[in-house]
Amino acid sequence: MKKRIAALSLSFVLGFCMIFAMSGCSSETYTPQLKPASVSTPTIKTSGTLTVGVNADNPPFAGQSSGKIVGLDVDVAAALADELGLKLQVKDIGSDPDKALKDGTVDIVMGVDKSDSSVKCWKSDAYIQSGVALFAASADAAVPTAASNPKIAAQVSSMSAWEVNKQFGDTALVTTKDLKEAFKDLSDGTVKYVAADAVIGTYATYTGGNEAYIVAMMQKPSGYAVGALDTNTTMKTTISDTLKKLISNGTIDVIQTKWLGKTLDLSKVPLTAGTDAGAAATTTPP
């Protein structure tokens, strides 16, 4: 019931408008009324508007569609703005969230990898879990070991490829130009596993119509978070409290299901033997 209520309240996220029939044949568009604004300047740069930075070349988090920026991160940002009683403005800031925040281009940034120590801004709790995962064609596939000499496909020059090489050796790694090719190799039986970011890999299987399942994690699960200036205390508190509400009321689950076909819970997925004993990898691959 909770998720159903959240889904109904998320008409703005899912891109629908509500049309009510009037007098049998006339109709009018219903526009939800904004809640009273929870924050104002100087916490946000523009009164009445939450300005949010995303990397618009990183689906499913954000990408271009018909001249608009859409994606999982955009929907989470829209839910945050709605809960705060603010309009939403989305800006493509590329892959440098720290610069966008320091320049005052945006109020917050989305899709910050909590395991990435090179990003120095404040990071919220994760709104979606992730980490390098191993996908197999069967949900019952065994967790591979280095001794079993598995064939594992991964996109060339990716963190996933680096983890495969580190944990299983270069003879196990089968590099592909993209994830589409990697999952095709899995479907064809050319490889036994695909290594990919858990979110991006799940999105690739969902949109590509592939049957693939996460059977192991090659990193301890971390996740993607909202970033803000560490000096903006009010914004940090506001985002933390609002995210907790969106998670508890099922809103984040609705958004995940829209983009991934399911919600991700990686907390009970087994780890490969070579997984670092510490937190998810913080080292940038060479």
Side-chain angles (χ1 to χ4, degrees), residues 37-51 84-86 89 104 106-107 232 234-235 238:
S38 301
V39 291
S40 58
T41 56
T43 301
I44 53 178
K45 63 192 296 291
T46 304
S47 183
T49 299
L50 184 66
T51 307
L84 296 175
L86 302 172
Q89 182 179 24
V106 296
D107 301 317
N232 194 340
T234 302
M235 180 60 78
T238 300

Side-chain angles (χ1 to χ4, degrees), residues 58-256:
N58 190 29
F61 299 102
Q64 297 281 351
S65 177
S66 301
K68 295 182 179 180
I69 302 175
V70 299
L72 189 152
D73 279 351
V74 178
D75 285 357
V76 174
L80 286 169
D82 180 72
E83 192 64 36
L84 296 175
L86 302 172
K87 296 178 181 178
L88 176 67
Q89 182 179 24
V90 179
K91 292 188 176 183
D92 180 11
I93 59 167
S95 57
D96 195 345
D98 283 328
K99 182 178 186 301
L101 289 169
K102 289 177 181 177
D103 290 349
T105 304
V106 296
D107 301 317
I108 59 173
V109 292
M110 306 298 298
V112 180
D113 187 343
K114 285 184 69 69
S115 70
D116 188 351
S117 59
S118 68
V119 178
K120 303 302 182 183
C121 67
W122 171 83
K123 302 166 188 173
S124 71
D125 290 339
Y127 51 83
I128 187 168
Q129 294 180 316
S130 200
V132 177
L134 281 179
F135 293 78
S138 169
D140 299 322
V143 178
T145 63
S148 66
N149 194 30
K151 291 299 179 184
I152 305 173
Q155 185 170 329
V156 65
S157 301
S158 65
M159 171 65 80
S160 302
W162 184 67
E163 280 288 352
V164 172
N165 188 67
K166 182 181 72 170
Q167 295 191 32
F168 295 94
D170 57 6
T171 58
L173 177 62
V174 178
T175 56
T176 61
K177 64 179 180 180
D178 53 33
L179 279 183
K180 181 178 180 181
E181 181 181 337
F183 281 109
K184 183 179 183 303
D185 287 349
L186 180 66
S187 179
D188 293 343
T190 307
V191 298
K192 289 291 186 181
Y193 304 92
V194 170
D197 176 276
V199 174
I200 298 174
T202 300
Y203 172 73
T205 61
Y206 178 55
T207 57
N210 300 298
E211 287 289 333
Y213 306 87
I214 295 176
V215 295
M217 296 297 298
M218 299 181 70
Q219 296 174 337
K220 288 192 175 181
S222 180
Y224 293 99
V226 180
L229 282 175
D230 197 43
T231 54
N232 194 340
T233 304
T234 302
M235 180 60 78
K236 293 191 299 183
T237 302
T238 300
I239 292 299
S240 291
D241 292 345
T242 308
L243 263 184
K244 287 177 183 177
K245 183 174 183 179
L246 295 177
I247 291 169
S248 65
N249 69 14
T251 297
I252 298 298
D253 284 351
V254 172
I255 295 170
Q256 286 193 38

